[in-house]
Amino acid sequence: MRRGWMLVLALWLALCGCDEEKKLTNNNGPGVGELGGPCHPDDTCNTEALICVDGVCEAVVDPCAGVDCGEAGQCRPSPFAEGEVECVCAEGAFVALDLACTFGETLTTREFFGQELVVELETRFYYMYVPSSYDHATASPLLMDLHGTAGELPELAYGLDAAKAAAEEYGFVLVRPRSRSSQEGDWIVYRWDQNQGDTERNHAFITALVTAVSRRVNLAPERLYLMGFSSGTNQTARALADAATPFAGFGFVGGGLWIANQLQDLGRVYLATGFRDYMRTYHYNLTGRLDAIGFAPERRFVREFDGGHELYGFFYPEMFAFFDGGERPVAGTPASPWERETFVDTASLVTVLTAPDGTVFAAGTGNGLFRRQAQDSWERVTIAGTSAFPGRTLTDLCFTEDGTGLGIGEGQLVRSMDAGATWIHGPRVGEVDSPYFGYQFLNGAACADGAVVATGYWQGARSDDGGVTWADVSFDAGYGQRAQGAVVATAPWGTWTAGGYWQYLGRSDDGVVFSPAEVPAAAPAEWFYDLVAVGPDRWIAVGDHGTILVSDDDGASYACVVCDGAGENLYAVGFAGDNGLAVGGHGAALLSRDGGATWEDVSTGLDGFLGDVVWLSASEALVVGEAGLVLRYAVEN
């Protein structure tokens, strides 16, 4: 019996031992090479979805799982940090300024009007032009162009064709944002500081717009540039006051700044505000603020010109070339037969004339007034007293028959009571009509019959006592407003004429009441900058875009002589008999030998502007201009 129990126990133990061994080797767990199981001896697993880690087969984890790189992006392990991933752009895509990948705009057109962008819960608008050379594969520069004060669709106003032409030539993307606006009477006025707080709101819009545009076209982040005209200059200054601005170039045309923000010492700046522009005040504000922060001269390009408030096409190419590569036009050397005369100063000269006693005077920047003592010999004239606007530019001079001399420009007045022997600063000429500046911003003046008549922005004045007191002269422009004047001229037979903006030419018999003259529709000039009486009842008028007109009815109407619009701006014209010389921007000079009927190109070969001309004799002229330039020109028979 005892032996039987022992046999049963042995059999039970044997059976239990077999089951335990079976349990250890076949317990329904992962097998070799399976997920969670031991690796094969060669450290492999059964499928590519598994990887051997420390002898155990584990699932391969996709490091990009859950990573969204967008439609135009792809995720991949980072080649720089183990275990990290990065997004890269898919083929044909590029990186926007916010580092997002984008396939960009489908460029079925290159010109985009009325584009929308919501910023701070407000729908804003802009215009974009993409040059024909653009391709998404290559990052391009950007020029953002801020308009001046305008009505509807302001982003299309002021120089659009010239801006597009420059975009084609230099390959930059052109963007023109639209400012905010408000209702003024019957007009909707768009201006960058039109409403309280607009400067900051527009700054946020412009900053956001750069990024938004970079999702549509491939932009080079180091080649983003901003410019503004008129009120757009102050908005441009706001960007220059932002240490985090995306822009590397800042252009100021026809203005400067009036915000108090601290400017940053960043990038390059381009400045172009004419000597006959009422926004010169803000230009001086800007240059003073740049000086205060030590902004380097080599990063400034100041384009001087003797013009009014205008956005000229030549600004775009030279501005972009300076922003993008620091390029400046070559100064040049005088072409034959021009001869340069030694001058005593580096002031830019805007006006020159001969006093009744034959002495030649010139005037210009920095309250500069100069007397010619002999050929190649000039002296700076001391002006007693204190200027109403120290450092500003004298833009015109004239003498009455009794030897009273007057000089005006940018709000200032200088006087001489002794034929130019001594001079004194006078007070600013007060406004006599609607207030604009707190003084009259006068640009041009002429003297005759003991009187001086001056014209400027929306106002004019006449003095019959040598500039002591002044009376109103309206210069009616004929379109319901007073003219923005640039010049007044007189004839020996008593006629007065005037010229200025919006093709203004006027005529007066008495220097008190001026009536608009008839201007040919074909004339391309926006501004007429000078007038001269050539002979009985004959006048020559010159203006921008190379315009030359002639009147043979004593200034009542004019006809085209040169109206192709292809020439440089002409700032001055003078005659001695039949010989005439018209001079202007970029060293331009035209000669007439027949009283203004025909003209030939006798340009100087210089880049700087020529401001005025006076004839020393019937065959020799003296021309003054930029940076102390004085030239003589002898007419060859």
mmCIF file of all heavy atoms in Angstrom, residues 125-156:
data_model
loop_
_atom_site.group_PDB
_atom_site.id
_atom_site.type_symbol
_atom_site.label_atom_id
_atom_site.label_comp_id
_atom_site.label_asym_id
_atom_site.label_seq_id
_atom_site.Cartn_x
_atom_site.Cartn_y
_atom_site.Cartn_z
ATOM 1 N N PHE A 125 -6.029 97.338 -46.948
ATOM 2 C CA PHE A 125 -5.903 97.106 -48.381
ATOM 3 C C PHE A 125 -4.505 97.484 -48.863
ATOM 4 O O PHE A 125 -3.840 98.347 -48.287
ATOM 5 C CB PHE A 125 -6.957 97.919 -49.137
ATOM 6 C CG PHE A 125 -8.364 97.561 -48.779
ATOM 7 C CD1 PHE A 125 -9.016 98.204 -47.736
ATOM 8 C CD2 PHE A 125 -9.036 96.563 -49.473
ATOM 9 C CE1 PHE A 125 -10.312 97.868 -47.392
ATOM 10 C CE2 PHE A 125 -10.331 96.218 -49.138
ATOM 11 C CZ PHE A 125 -10.972 96.867 -48.092
ATOM 12 N N TYR A 126 -4.113 96.833 -49.970
ATOM 13 C CA TYR A 126 -2.815 97.147 -50.558
ATOM 14 C C TYR A 126 -2.782 96.723 -52.021
ATOM 15 O O TYR A 126 -3.628 95.953 -52.492
ATOM 16 C CB TYR A 126 -1.675 96.475 -49.784
ATOM 17 C CG TYR A 126 -1.644 94.964 -49.826
ATOM 18 C CD1 TYR A 126 -0.800 94.279 -50.707
ATOM 19 C CD2 TYR A 126 -2.441 94.204 -48.971
ATOM 20 C CE1 TYR A 126 -0.751 92.892 -50.732
ATOM 21 C CE2 TYR A 126 -2.401 92.820 -48.987
ATOM 22 C CZ TYR A 126 -1.555 92.164 -49.871
ATOM 23 O OH TYR A 126 -1.510 90.796 -49.901
ATOM 24 N N TYR A 127 -1.792 97.248 -52.717
ATOM 25 C CA TYR A 127 -1.519 96.928 -54.123
ATOM 26 C C TYR A 127 -0.178 96.206 -54.188
ATOM 27 O O TYR A 127 0.744 96.536 -53.434
ATOM 28 C CB TYR A 127 -1.470 98.220 -54.938
ATOM 29 C CG TYR A 127 -0.809 98.105 -56.297
ATOM 30 C CD1 TYR A 127 -1.544 97.801 -57.436
ATOM 31 C CD2 TYR A 127 0.560 98.332 -56.438
ATOM 32 C CE1 TYR A 127 -0.936 97.709 -58.682
ATOM 33 C CE2 TYR A 127 1.180 98.246 -57.682
ATOM 34 C CZ TYR A 127 0.424 97.936 -58.796
ATOM 35 O OH TYR A 127 1.031 97.849 -60.023
ATOM 36 N N MET A 128 -0.061 95.227 -55.093
ATOM 37 C CA MET A 128 1.207 94.513 -55.249
ATOM 38 C C MET A 128 1.521 94.326 -56.729
ATOM 39 O O MET A 128 0.637 93.989 -57.524
ATOM 40 C CB MET A 128 1.164 93.151 -54.554
ATOM 41 C CG MET A 128 2.485 92.379 -54.637
ATOM 42 S SD MET A 128 2.532 90.898 -53.587
ATOM 43 C CE MET A 128 1.432 89.802 -54.487
ATOM 44 N N TYR A 129 2.786 94.565 -57.070
ATOM 45 C CA TYR A 129 3.266 94.331 -58.431
ATOM 46 C C TYR A 129 4.473 93.408 -58.361
ATOM 47 O O TYR A 129 5.435 93.674 -57.629
ATOM 48 C CB TYR A 129 3.654 95.647 -59.110
ATOM 49 C CG TYR A 129 4.137 95.461 -60.530
ATOM 50 C CD1 TYR A 129 3.226 95.303 -61.571
ATOM 51 C CD2 TYR A 129 5.492 95.422 -60.823
ATOM 52 C CE1 TYR A 129 3.654 95.110 -62.872
ATOM 53 C CE2 TYR A 129 5.935 95.236 -62.123
ATOM 54 C CZ TYR A 129 5.012 95.083 -63.144
ATOM 55 O OH TYR A 129 5.446 94.884 -64.432
ATOM 56 N N VAL A 130 4.413 92.314 -59.128
ATOM 57 C CA VAL A 130 5.487 91.327 -59.161
ATOM 58 C C VAL A 130 6.166 91.420 -60.522
ATOM 59 O O VAL A 130 5.509 91.231 -61.551
ATOM 60 C CB VAL A 130 4.945 89.905 -58.927
ATOM 61 C CG1 VAL A 130 6.083 88.892 -58.931
ATOM 62 C CG2 VAL A 130 4.172 89.841 -57.613
ATOM 63 N N PRO A 131 7.460 91.724 -60.578
ATOM 64 C CA PRO A 131 8.122 91.917 -61.874
ATOM 65 C C PRO A 131 8.138 90.643 -62.702
ATOM 66 O O PRO A 131 8.067 89.528 -62.170
ATOM 67 C CB PRO A 131 9.536 92.355 -61.482
ATOM 68 C CG PRO A 131 9.745 91.798 -60.116
ATOM 69 C CD PRO A 131 8.402 91.863 -59.447
ATOM 70 N N SER A 132 8.248 90.808 -64.008
ATOM 71 C CA SER A 132 8.183 89.664 -64.922
ATOM 72 C C SER A 132 9.348 88.701 -64.728
ATOM 73 O O SER A 132 9.242 87.522 -65.071
ATOM 74 C CB SER A 132 8.155 90.162 -66.370
ATOM 75 O OG SER A 132 9.298 90.962 -66.651
ATOM 76 N N SER A 133 10.454 89.166 -64.164
ATOM 77 C CA SER A 133 11.619 88.303 -63.954
ATOM 78 C C SER A 133 11.501 87.443 -62.702
ATOM 79 O O SER A 133 12.318 86.543 -62.481
ATOM 80 C CB SER A 133 12.887 89.157 -63.841
ATOM 81 O OG SER A 133 12.790 90.052 -62.734
ATOM 82 N N TYR A 134 10.486 87.688 -61.890
ATOM 83 C CA TYR A 134 10.374 86.986 -60.609
ATOM 84 C C TYR A 134 10.070 85.507 -60.806
ATOM 85 O O TYR A 134 9.288 85.112 -61.679
ATOM 86 C CB TYR A 134 9.279 87.613 -59.746
ATOM 87 C CG TYR A 134 8.983 86.797 -58.508
ATOM 88 C CD1 TYR A 134 9.758 86.937 -57.369
ATOM 89 C CD2 TYR A 134 7.956 85.854 -58.506
ATOM 90 C CE1 TYR A 134 9.514 86.165 -56.241
ATOM 91 C CE2 TYR A 134 7.699 85.081 -57.389
ATOM 92 C CZ TYR A 134 8.487 85.241 -56.258
ATOM 93 O OH TYR A 134 8.249 84.466 -55.153
ATOM 94 N N ASP A 135 10.681 84.674 -59.941
ATOM 95 C CA ASP A 135 10.402 83.241 -59.892
ATOM 96 C C ASP A 135 10.451 82.810 -58.434
ATOM 97 O O ASP A 135 11.314 83.264 -57.677
ATOM 98 C CB ASP A 135 11.427 82.458 -60.713
ATOM 99 C CG ASP A 135 11.070 80.982 -60.804
ATOM 100 O OD1 ASP A 135 11.475 80.228 -59.891
ATOM 101 O OD2 ASP A 135 10.391 80.598 -61.763
ATOM 102 N N HIS A 136 9.528 81.934 -58.037
ATOM 103 C CA HIS A 136 9.479 81.495 -56.646
ATOM 104 C C HIS A 136 10.783 80.854 -56.185
ATOM 105 O O HIS A 136 11.063 80.793 -54.982
ATOM 106 C CB HIS A 136 8.340 80.487 -56.453
ATOM 107 C CG HIS A 136 6.974 81.111 -56.395
ATOM 108 N ND1 HIS A 136 6.739 82.346 -55.849
ATOM 109 C CD2 HIS A 136 5.755 80.646 -56.811
ATOM 110 C CE1 HIS A 136 5.453 82.627 -55.919
ATOM 111 N NE2 HIS A 136 4.825 81.615 -56.506
ATOM 112 N N ALA A 137 11.580 80.370 -57.116
ATOM 113 C CA ALA A 137 12.797 79.656 -56.741
ATOM 114 C C ALA A 137 13.879 80.580 -56.188
ATOM 115 O O ALA A 137 14.820 80.117 -55.539
ATOM 116 C CB ALA A 137 13.342 78.892 -57.948
ATOM 117 N N THR A 138 13.759 81.876 -56.427
ATOM 118 C CA THR A 138 14.789 82.823 -55.999
ATOM 119 C C THR A 138 14.170 83.909 -55.130
ATOM 120 O O THR A 138 13.194 84.552 -55.528
ATOM 121 C CB THR A 138 15.466 83.476 -57.216
ATOM 122 O OG1 THR A 138 16.003 82.452 -58.057
ATOM 123 C CG2 THR A 138 16.583 84.408 -56.770
ATOM 124 N N ALA A 139 14.740 84.122 -53.954
ATOM 125 C CA ALA A 139 14.247 85.172 -53.054
ATOM 126 C C ALA A 139 14.519 86.542 -53.658
ATOM 127 O O ALA A 139 15.614 86.809 -54.153
ATOM 128 C CB ALA A 139 14.916 85.051 -51.688
ATOM 129 N N SER A 140 13.524 87.416 -53.604
ATOM 130 C CA SER A 140 13.605 88.728 -54.243
ATOM 131 C C SER A 140 13.543 89.848 -53.212
ATOM 132 O O SER A 140 13.000 89.679 -52.120
ATOM 133 C CB SER A 140 12.454 88.899 -55.241
ATOM 134 O OG SER A 140 12.564 87.979 -56.303
ATOM 135 N N PRO A 141 14.056 91.021 -53.576
ATOM 136 C CA PRO A 141 13.922 92.182 -52.694
ATOM 137 C C PRO A 141 12.506 92.743 -52.737
ATOM 138 O O PRO A 141 11.735 92.461 -53.664
ATOM 139 C CB PRO A 141 14.932 93.181 -53.268
ATOM 140 C CG PRO A 141 15.067 92.798 -54.706
ATOM 141 C CD PRO A 141 14.874 91.311 -54.761
ATOM 142 N N LEU A 142 12.185 93.542 -51.736
ATOM 143 C CA LEU A 142 10.872 94.177 -51.621
ATOM 144 C C LEU A 142 11.056 95.671 -51.437
ATOM 145 O O LEU A 142 11.905 96.108 -50.657
ATOM 146 C CB LEU A 142 10.114 93.613 -50.415
ATOM 147 C CG LEU A 142 8.865 94.391 -49.963
ATOM 148 C CD1 LEU A 142 7.708 94.137 -50.923
ATOM 149 C CD2 LEU A 142 8.460 94.008 -48.539
ATOM 150 N N LEU A 143 10.262 96.469 -52.157
ATOM 151 C CA LEU A 143 10.152 97.896 -51.880
ATOM 152 C C LEU A 143 8.706 98.184 -51.520
ATOM 153 O O LEU A 143 7.811 98.027 -52.346
ATOM 154 C CB LEU A 143 10.571 98.746 -53.076
ATOM 155 C CG LEU A 143 10.451 100.266 -52.849
ATOM 156 C CD1 LEU A 143 11.390 100.729 -51.742
ATOM 157 C CD2 LEU A 143 10.719 101.043 -54.132
ATOM 158 N N MET A 144 8.477 98.587 -50.267
ATOM 159 C CA MET A 144 7.152 98.991 -49.832
ATOM 160 C C MET A 144 7.084 100.508 -49.919
ATOM 161 O O MET A 144 7.918 101.215 -49.353
ATOM 162 C CB MET A 144 6.865 98.502 -48.414
ATOM 163 C CG MET A 144 5.413 98.665 -48.010
ATOM 164 S SD MET A 144 4.991 97.796 -46.477
ATOM 165 C CE MET A 144 5.028 96.090 -47.031
ATOM 166 N N ASP A 145 6.087 101.013 -50.638
ATOM 167 C CA ASP A 145 6.007 102.414 -51.050
ATOM 168 C C ASP A 145 4.747 103.037 -50.449
ATOM 169 O O ASP A 145 3.631 102.673 -50.822
ATOM 170 C CB ASP A 145 5.982 102.451 -52.584
ATOM 171 C CG ASP A 145 5.986 103.849 -53.158
ATOM 172 O OD1 ASP A 145 6.072 104.815 -52.386
ATOM 173 O OD2 ASP A 145 5.905 103.965 -54.397
ATOM 174 N N LEU A 146 4.925 103.990 -49.523
ATOM 175 C CA LEU A 146 3.805 104.612 -48.816
ATOM 176 C C LEU A 146 3.383 105.894 -49.527
ATOM 177 O O LEU A 146 4.190 106.805 -49.713
ATOM 178 C CB LEU A 146 4.193 104.919 -47.371
ATOM 179 C CG LEU A 146 4.779 103.758 -46.557
ATOM 180 C CD1 LEU A 146 5.015 104.196 -45.113
ATOM 181 C CD2 LEU A 146 3.882 102.529 -46.615
ATOM 182 N N HIS A 147 2.126 105.969 -49.897
ATOM 183 C CA HIS A 147 1.599 107.085 -50.683
ATOM 184 C C HIS A 147 1.559 108.387 -49.886
ATOM 185 O O HIS A 147 1.646 108.403 -48.653
ATOM 186 C CB HIS A 147 0.191 106.747 -51.184
ATOM 187 C CG HIS A 147 -0.803 106.504 -50.074
ATOM 188 N ND1 HIS A 147 -1.376 107.518 -49.341
ATOM 189 C CD2 HIS A 147 -1.326 105.346 -49.575
ATOM 190 C CE1 HIS A 147 -2.209 107.016 -48.445
ATOM 191 N NE2 HIS A 147 -2.191 105.692 -48.557
ATOM 192 N N GLY A 148 1.379 109.495 -50.596
ATOM 193 C CA GLY A 148 1.108 110.779 -49.969
ATOM 194 C C GLY A 148 -0.386 110.956 -49.761
ATOM 195 O O GLY A 148 -1.194 110.072 -50.069
ATOM 196 N N THR A 149 -0.771 112.110 -49.220
ATOM 197 C CA THR A 149 -2.181 112.401 -48.981
ATOM 198 C C THR A 149 -2.950 112.360 -50.297
ATOM 199 O O THR A 149 -2.531 112.957 -51.292
ATOM 200 C CB THR A 149 -2.335 113.781 -48.331
ATOM 201 O OG1 THR A 149 -1.583 113.794 -47.117
ATOM 202 C CG2 THR A 149 -3.790 114.084 -48.036
ATOM 203 N N ALA A 150 -4.072 111.640 -50.314
ATOM 204 C CA ALA A 150 -4.809 111.452 -51.562
ATOM 205 C C ALA A 150 -6.256 111.092 -51.258
ATOM 206 O O ALA A 150 -6.646 110.904 -50.096
ATOM 207 C CB ALA A 150 -4.155 110.362 -52.413
ATOM 208 N N GLY A 151 -7.045 110.985 -52.335
ATOM 209 C CA GLY A 151 -8.429 110.560 -52.230
ATOM 210 C C GLY A 151 -8.550 109.062 -52.431
ATOM 211 O O GLY A 151 -7.687 108.292 -52.013
ATOM 212 N N GLU A 152 -9.623 108.639 -53.095
ATOM 213 C CA GLU A 152 -9.873 107.213 -53.285
ATOM 214 C C GLU A 152 -8.704 106.519 -53.989
ATOM 215 O O GLU A 152 -8.041 107.103 -54.848
ATOM 216 C CB GLU A 152 -11.155 107.014 -54.096
ATOM 217 C CG GLU A 152 -12.419 107.453 -53.372
ATOM 218 C CD GLU A 152 -12.791 106.527 -52.226
ATOM 219 O OE1 GLU A 152 -12.192 105.434 -52.112
ATOM 220 O OE2 GLU A 152 -13.686 106.893 -51.438
ATOM 221 N N LEU A 153 -8.473 105.271 -53.614
ATOM 222 C CA LEU A 153 -7.390 104.447 -54.153
ATOM 223 C C LEU A 153 -6.042 105.172 -54.079
ATOM 224 O O LEU A 153 -5.327 105.310 -55.074
ATOM 225 C CB LEU A 153 -7.691 104.035 -55.595
ATOM 226 C CG LEU A 153 -8.980 103.237 -55.814
ATOM 227 C CD1 LEU A 153 -9.179 102.941 -57.292
ATOM 228 C CD2 LEU A 153 -8.960 101.946 -55.006
ATOM 229 N N PRO A 154 -5.655 105.618 -52.910
ATOM 230 C CA PRO A 154 -4.410 106.386 -52.783
ATOM 231 C C PRO A 154 -3.174 105.580 -53.131
ATOM 232 O O PRO A 154 -2.154 106.149 -53.524
ATOM 233 C CB PRO A 154 -4.405 106.793 -51.307
ATOM 234 C CG PRO A 154 -5.199 105.720 -50.623
ATOM 235 C CD PRO A 154 -6.290 105.377 -51.595
ATOM 236 N N GLU A 155 -3.258 104.247 -52.997
ATOM 237 C CA GLU A 155 -2.092 103.415 -53.297
ATOM 238 C C GLU A 155 -1.737 103.424 -54.781
ATOM 239 O O GLU A 155 -0.642 102.992 -55.162
ATOM 240 C CB GLU A 155 -2.321 101.977 -52.817
ATOM 241 C CG GLU A 155 -3.400 101.208 -53.548
ATOM 242 C CD GLU A 155 -4.795 101.392 -52.965
ATOM 243 O OE1 GLU A 155 -5.036 102.412 -52.293
ATOM 244 O OE2 GLU A 155 -5.645 100.501 -53.191
ATOM 245 N N LEU A 156 -2.640 103.916 -55.617
ATOM 246 C CA LEU A 156 -2.362 103.997 -57.054
ATOM 247 C C LEU A 156 -1.920 105.393 -57.471
ATOM 248 O O LEU A 156 -1.603 105.619 -58.643
ATOM 249 C CB LEU A 156 -3.606 103.592 -57.851
ATOM 250 C CG LEU A 156 -4.200 102.217 -57.522
ATOM 251 C CD1 LEU A 156 -5.368 101.916 -58.449
ATOM 252 C CD2 LEU A 156 -3.148 101.126 -57.606
#
